[in-house]
Amino acid sequence: MARAVTPSRKAFTTVVAGLLGLMMFFPVLWIFILSFKSEGDAIKAPMEILFNTGWTTESYGAVQERSDYFKHFWNSVIISVGSTVLGLAVAIPAAWAMAFVPGKRTKDVLMWMLSTKMLPPVGVLVPIYLIFRDLGLLDSRVGLVFVLMMINLPIIIWMLYTYFREIPGEILEAARMDGASLRNEVIYVLTPMAVPGMASTMLLNVILAWNEAFWTLNLTAANAAPLTAFIASYSSPEGLFYAKLSAASVMAIAPILIMGWFSQKQLVRGLTFGAVK
């Protein structure tokens, strides 16, 4: 029997959740506020910034004049979406094999794949940089698509494996009895049934690729630089330009924030897929 929730307990939970949400969102809110201040006002005390300074959009104008925002934006779109789509193309067959043709070492393989995420990226920076240099992939979208796909591939496979395990194997067996080939089984039977999980996997990995800074800063210079490099360009030996840096940050996170807001229902649905029997 479900436990009754008293009004006081519900109010307490709501207040705690609201405070935690505010704590997590406050850095974004503060960056948004600083982006509408002048450079002189942005370095003042917090209370003075809030109540004793004016509002201006000059930082946004300066950022657009100094940098080609839309070039960096399209680089981010191509790199994040491209790496996610390529990752799904590789991960779907891999997750299918692990979920429906399990072997004795399936769990070990999954743990080995996940363990690669525990390696500090700087540990493999030099060999990957040299490989990219020799192959002519430095400062290229193709190179970044490939490296970000490889970085996020363990997460994609793990998530898809979890979703696929929730699909009854008898459905696939029935498709085989009706004469479905392996290709048709994966494309026309398995994939449509796992759409919620695949959608949430795609959304999560687009966000991860969009926010990736280490590899994009070390493997690009100008041509393929995404929005993470666009933000970093406002931290220079000359000093930190807080207002311009905040404006650039808002311009970089706004697209992915809007996408996350409108897709949050699908994202939550996919992430909780199979959690309740």
Side-chain angles (χ1 to χ4, degrees), residues 47-126:
M47 298 305 294
E48 189 175 357
I49 290 175
L50 288 175
F51 300 108
N52 295 326
T53 58
W55 297 79
T56 178
T57 59
E58 65 179 20
S59 295
Y60 288 94
V63 166
Q64 185 57 31
E65 289 179 6
R66 172 177 167 178
S67 307
D68 188 350
Y69 168 76
F70 290 102
K71 175 183 177 181
H72 294 86
F73 170 78
W74 284 115
N75 283 342
S76 287
V77 171
I78 293 171
I79 291 167
S80 58
V81 175
S83 63
T84 301
V85 172
L86 183 60
L88 285 174
V90 175
I92 289 174
W96 173 87
M98 293 180 181
F100 298 107
V101 193
K104 295 182 179 180
R105 313 293 293 185
T106 297
K107 296 287 184 165
D108 296 334
V109 172
L110 285 169
M111 286 304 302
W112 171 78
M113 289 170 48
L114 192 61
S115 70
T116 61
K117 297 293 296 179
M118 304 174 190
L119 174 70
V122 70
V124 292
L125 173 61
V126 172

Side-chain angles (χ1 to χ4, degrees), residues 147-166:
V147 75
L148 293 185
M149 182 273 289
M150 295 299 294
I151 290 170
N152 293 327
L153 190 59
I155 296 177
I156 301 176
I157 294 178
W158 258 93
M159 292 183 68
L160 291 180
Y161 169 79
T162 302
Y163 302 136
F164 288 174
R165 289 289 293 173
E166 298 296 328

Side-chain angles (χ1 to χ4, degrees), residues 71 74-76 78-80 83 128-129 131-148 215-226:
K71 175 183 177 181
W74 284 115
N75 283 342
S76 287
I78 293 171
I79 291 167
S80 58
S83 63
I128 289 181
Y129 182 89
I131 292 172
F132 272 51
R133 183 197 63 184
D134 295 341
L135 296 178
L137 294 176
L138 285 177
D139 198 21
S140 70
R141 295 170 178 172
V142 174
L144 283 179
V145 165
F146 181 76
V147 75
L148 293 185
W215 293 107
T216 56
L217 292 177
N218 285 286
L219 298 179
T220 62
N223 295 328

Side-chain angles (χ1 to χ4, degrees), residues 182-202:
L182 177 59
R183 176 177 174 274
N184 291 335
E185 176 185 329
V186 173
I187 295 177
Y188 297 111
V189 180
L190 179 65
T191 302
M193 296 184 64
V195 165
M198 292 174 60
S200 64
T201 301
M202 185 172 183

Side-chain angles (χ1 to χ4, degrees), residues 1-7 9:
M1 186 173 67
R3 184 175 57 180
V5 179
T6 63
R9 183 181 180 85

